[in-house]
Amino acid sequence: MDALDLARWQFGVTTIYHFLFVPLSIGLAYLIAFMNTLYVVKNDEKYKKLTQFWGRLFLLNFAVGVVTGIMQEFQFGMNWADYSRYVGAVFGGPLAVEALVSFFLESTFLGIWIFGWDKLPKKVHLAAIWLVAIGATLSALWILAANSFMQEPVGYVINNGRAEMSNFFALLGNKQLWVEFPHVIYGALCTGGMFVVGISAYKMLRKHQTEAFKASFSIGMVVTLVGSILTAFAGHEQAQHLMESQPMKMAAAEALWETTGEHAPWTVVAAIDPGAKQNAAKLEVPYLLSVLSYNKLSGSVPGMNELQAKYEQEYGPGNYIPPVRTTFWSFRVMLVSGMLMILVALLGVWKMYRGKVLNSPRFLWWMMPAMALPWLGNLSGWVMTEVGRQPWTVFGLAKTADGVSPLVSSGMVLTSLIGFTVVYGLLAAALVYLIVHFVRKDDMAADASHKAHANPGNPALPIL
């Protein structure tokens, strides 16, 4: 592999690893804030214990997420220096605001919340965790504003051979941002919801604090149901926007080589042959692609061959077709994960309504592996979004091959890739060990606090 391919692998590996933690931090923060609110409103110790239990898991995830997130920004300077020089004056703005405002808000109030238990007034303390959740959401907004510029560049001018920001508010008004941001946030709520559901199911099966974890199971299941349905609607809107902004990505996601007729079928599965630019076999649902693209039974969808010819005229000679198999199958993994989440959540809410959750050990057992569904959806969706944009880093403006650092050799990139993989592997092993060790214990954080307060000679440590 040359330096370009290795740099792309390194960016993919480190970004996917970082994206394991981001949706969970956002989603779990809102669930914890909701449980904390129930404690303040109902003055029920059960919700205080639940808040502190999930708060500990949140902190473990947050810490690893911060470390892996820092590496993302280093990479732009290490392996993508030409990209940074070309669009840094635009791309760097949202990232700077994210670091200086949103992350500052999130981390500051997280500290206040951790050390404020039983010291601050309850409502002030409650406000802190809501500000943590809002800060995490705003961080995602700024990161996605930068990513949306890569998908659909707006608010810039080309000056002295580089892109410069001409309108900061155009970045925030980017239509791509406002179809991408809700989709990501709803997906994050599903991630937090299923995480709470899966671990609560384990605790109920082990009969640890059953009544308390039945409550968190119910909260997580309702959040997952609402979040998964909203994710589906937001994803549909995002797909329709692709028809306007990146039709090649849409065509690749459907393995659509030739432009369809007026009634476009949706391809369920296909045997894709990128070399011959055709599908050896496929299973289709009539009319469905027209419905997904235009909300009606009619409407032609352009194929990759037609778009390739159009882009050659517009941008010059080159291959503008992204890796079709990866784009096609990642899209379907995302769809299947989302549909399974909706079905699981519907079944879970139905069982809660019938009061049969505790009498369904098999269902509870299945909720543990079901925790993987939102991660599958998040990661496959990200792969489809980024791979489907190729060969561009900034669509229509800068190609990936032109952004790699010219002075970085393949050996240097390979060395850092191996180093990051080893370090990230150790971090993952440590995190999994800590989470499993903590979850398997049959206690709650508040118990430790009560013991400390009962013994004045043993000063209480922060509960989280």
Side-chain angles (χ1 to χ4, degrees):
M1 286 189 185
D2 59 17
L4 172 62
D5 289 333
L6 287 168
R8 292 176 68 184
W9 268 103
Q10 185 177 116
F11 194 84
V13 168
T14 54
T15 303
I16 284 176
Y17 189 81
H18 177 58
F19 205 50
L20 291 172
F21 308 103
V22 174
L24 181 57
S25 286
I26 296 171
L28 192 54
Y30 279 104
L31 272 92
I32 292 170
F34 183 66
M35 293 178 202
N36 202 155
T37 303
L38 289 177
Y39 164 60
V40 173
V41 172
K42 295 187 173 184
N43 197 28
D44 186 337
E45 285 293 317
K46 173 178 69 180
Y47 292 107
K48 180 179 181 180
K49 291 178 179 179
L50 283 174
T51 303
Q52 293 171 341
F53 175 85
W54 295 111
R56 280 188 173 183
L57 296 180
F58 173 83
L59 283 179
L60 290 171
N61 181 76
F62 180 82
V64 180
V66 169
V67 172
T68 55
I70 291 171
M71 191 50 61
Q72 294 306 105
E73 300 197 15
F74 277 141
Q75 285 205 57
F76 291 118
M78 288 191 303
N79 296 339
W80 302 100
D82 278 3
Y83 166 80
S84 299
R85 271 192 290 270
Y86 186 64
V87 298
V90 180
F91 193 79
L95 296 184
V97 176
E98 188 273 335
L100 293 173
V101 179
S102 303
F103 181 68
F104 181 80
L105 174 73
E106 183 182 4
S107 53
T108 299
F109 282 96
L110 180 58
I112 292 172
W113 184 69
I114 292 170
F115 293 98
W117 279 102
D118 301 324
K119 297 181 180 66
L120 294 171
K122 284 183 179 179
K123 291 183 180 178
V124 174
H125 183 254
L126 174 63
I129 189 62
W130 278 106
L131 288 170
V132 170
I134 292 169
T137 309
L138 291 176
S139 285
L141 176 69
W142 292 111
I143 296 293
L144 291 175
N147 182 266
S148 295
F149 175 78
M150 297 169 72
Q151 309 290 340
E152 188 174 351
V154 295
Y156 72 96
V157 293
I158 301 297
N159 193 15
N160 295 321
R162 61 196 288 265
E164 295 180 356
M165 189 185 299
S166 62
N167 187 346
F168 180 75
F169 294 102
L171 290 179
L172 290 178
N174 191 342
K175 189 173 180 181
Q176 172 65 27
L177 172 62
W178 293 107
V179 295
E180 191 173 334
F181 177 64
H183 193 51
V184 170
I185 296 302
Y186 297 146
L189 289 175
C190 295
T191 310
M194 282 306 298
F195 183 75
V196 169
V197 164
I199 292 179
S200 297
Y202 170 82
K203 300 294 275 187
M204 286 192 284
L205 285 171
R206 296 289 297 269
K207 302 191 185 306
H208 292 172
Q209 308 283 343
T210 303
E211 283 304 312
F213 284 104
K214 183 181 173 185
S216 63
F217 180 92
S218 302
I219 293 168
M221 196 58 89
V222 171
V223 169
T224 301
L225 178 60
V226 174
S228 57
I229 292 173
L230 290 174
T231 302
F233 279 106
H236 175 60
E237 189 175 358
Q238 190 171 356
Q240 291 196 325
H241 182 63
L242 273 185
M243 294 298 300
E244 305 170 15
S245 61
Q246 297 180 72
M248 180 66 89
K249 184 189 294 186
M250 185 68 169
E254 298 303 324
L256 193 63
W257 297 99
E258 302 297 336
T259 301
T260 71
E262 191 60 20
H263 306 291
W266 186 72
T267 304
V268 181
V269 292
I272 303 167
D273 185 350
K277 293 188 175 181
Q278 64 180 13
N279 301 326
K282 57 186 175 182
L283 175 64
E284 296 180 331
V285 178
Y287 300 99
L288 187 54
L289 184 55
S290 290
V291 174
L292 293 174
S293 302
Y294 306 110
N295 285 339
K296 57 183 183 180
L297 292 174
S298 60
S300 175
V301 177
M304 287 180 279
N305 290 334
E306 179 185 323
L307 292 167
Q308 167 69 21
K310 177 184 174 184
Y311 288 178
E312 283 185 353
Q313 286 186 344
E314 190 171 353
Y315 303 115
N319 180 12
Y320 297 95
I321 298 177
V324 180
R325 287 194 184 110
T326 307
T327 310
F328 179 87
W329 288 111
S330 58
F331 187 35
R332 274 138 192 84
V333 171
M334 179 184 68
L335 287 178
V336 171
S337 303
M339 288 189 288
L340 286 176
M341 263 193 300
I342 292 175
L343 291 176
V344 164
L346 280 172
L347 182 58
V349 170
W350 173 249
K351 284 183 176 291
M352 286 160 42
Y353 175 73
R354 298 288 301 275
K356 293 186 175 180
V357 170
L358 292 176
N359 298 326
S360 306
R362 185 175 298 178
F363 177 74
L364 290 176
W365 190 93
W366 276 107
M367 289 304 97
M368 290 185 277
M371 282 194 291
L373 288 175
W375 273 284
L376 274 178
N378 293 332
L379 295 178
S380 57
W382 180 83
V383 168
M384 181 259 178
T385 300
E386 300 304 307
V387 172
R389 191 188 59 236
Q390 299 303 315
W392 304 101
T393 44
V394 181
F395 183 79
L397 197 62
K399 290 184 177 176
T400 306
D402 298 327
V404 71
S405 300
L407 300 179
V408 175
S409 67
S410 57
M412 295 165 70
V413 182
L414 180 61
T415 302
S416 57
L417 173 58
I418 294 172
F420 290 148
T421 304
V422 171
V423 171
Y424 280 10
L426 293 173
L427 275 175
L431 179 64
V432 170
Y433 170 79
L434 289 172
I435 289 178
V436 171
H437 177 74
F438 177 69
V439 169
R440 292 181 67 179
K441 291 169 63 178
D442 183 17
D443 64 355
M444 287 214 179
D447 295 336
S449 173
H450 291 161
K451 290 174 185 175
H453 284 298
N455 182 5
N458 184 16
L461 294 173
I463 288 173
L464 295 174

